Amino acid sequence: MFISALTDAVVQVILFSIIPLIWWVVTARKRENFFHWLGFHKFKTENRRQYLIWFLGILAGSFVVGEFAILIRGDLAIGDSAYKGLGLAAVPSIVMFSFIQTALSEEILFRGFLLKRMANSFGFRTANIIHAAIFAVIHLLEVWGQTSFVAGAVIVIYPFVVALLLGYINEKKSDGSIYPSWLIHGTLNTVEHILQAMM
């Protein structure tokens, strides 16, 4: 299971990186390193305590709202994890899936590429809303035709709000680094899948 998760993770990260890489080669190769251009860089905060409050607040708030969203969706089968009932043996695969396949690939494409490029053209606020809307619609398309209207609305609203928060913490609190959103996103996914694995 772990080898399969690792293979899938690597393939997805590569696929989600192709468009950003092409864009970087055409527009920014001579000015900036590819990884820095995407937001893979350290950052400093003036007030670590305040930053930690922001970080933990977004993490905890996203988790609580996510659990509430699952409850009000009503069709829990769509939210069921492939790891449901597998117990602790699934944890290595869950971490690989959650942090690399899902969180890393999505952070590269959405917060590392789309948000940053659109912010250059439209400003941060507009870009953050547009990138969050695209992120939300992609999540809806994954379950299109398999869910009720209420569940579909929740599937759009929850990722939209989380994407806004992740964009904000990266660009306004972390000097453009995508490490914070990657850590939050991966942690949320990991906890949810571990909870499913323990059912």
Side-chain angles (χ1 to χ4, degrees):
M1 181 184 279
F2 180 77
I3 297 300
S4 175
L6 175 62
T7 304
D8 291 346
V10 169
V11 168
Q12 185 159 315
V13 168
I14 290 169
L15 289 174
F16 278 51
S17 298
I18 289 173
I19 292 173
L21 180 62
I22 292 169
W23 193 281
W24 171 79
V25 166
V26 172
T27 65
R29 179 175 49 94
K30 294 180 180 178
R31 293 191 318 268
E32 193 172 8
N33 171 285
F34 177 63
F35 295 103
H36 193 274
W37 181 78
L38 283 175
F40 288 101
H41 57 81
K42 293 180 182 178
F43 61 94
K44 293 181 181 177
T45 60
E46 292 180 18
N47 186 333
R48 288 186 181 195
R49 184 169 182 248
Q50 184 183 47
Y51 182 84
L52 188 60
I53 290 169
W54 268 100
F55 182 88
L56 294 176
I58 290 172
L59 178 61
S62 297
F63 178 76
V64 169
V65 172
E67 291 305 301
F68 181 70
I70 289 172
L71 287 176
I72 64 170
R73 251 178 30 198
D75 56 350
L76 295 179
I78 288 178
D80 282 351
S81 166
Y83 303 104
K84 187 171 184 174
L86 296 180
L88 292 176
V91 170
S93 295
I94 288 171
V95 171
M96 180 62 61
F97 174 79
S98 298
F99 272 94
I100 307 300
Q101 183 172 343
T102 306
L104 178 59
S105 60
E106 290 180 1
E107 292 310 313
I108 286 171
L109 184 61
F110 291 99
R111 258 70 66 191
F113 175 64
L114 281 178
L115 175 57
K116 289 179 184 307
R117 304 304 64 90
M118 288 190 297
N120 290 338
S121 299
F122 309 121
F124 171 74
R125 283 186 183 175
T126 302
N128 202 28
I129 291 168
I130 294 170
H131 112 277
I134 295 168
F135 188 71
V137 168
I138 295 295
H139 281 77
L140 179 62
L141 292 177
E142 291 175 359
V143 296
W144 189 261
Q146 305 171 47
T147 187
S148 68
F149 176 79
V150 172
V154 172
I155 290 168
V156 168
I157 293 167
Y158 174 64
F160 177 78
V161 171
V162 171
L164 287 175
L165 293 171
L166 295 179
Y168 181 81
I169 196 167
N170 284 358
E171 298 302 319
K172 297 300 181 181
K173 298 290 182 183
S174 308
D175 194 30
S177 174
I178 65 169
Y179 288 136
S181 62
W182 180 18
L183 183 57
I184 291 169
H185 193 164
T187 301
L188 291 171
N189 290 350
T190 299
V191 170
E192 188 56 43
H193 287 296
I194 287 174
L195 290 174
Q196 292 274 342
M198 302 311 288
M199 289 182 173

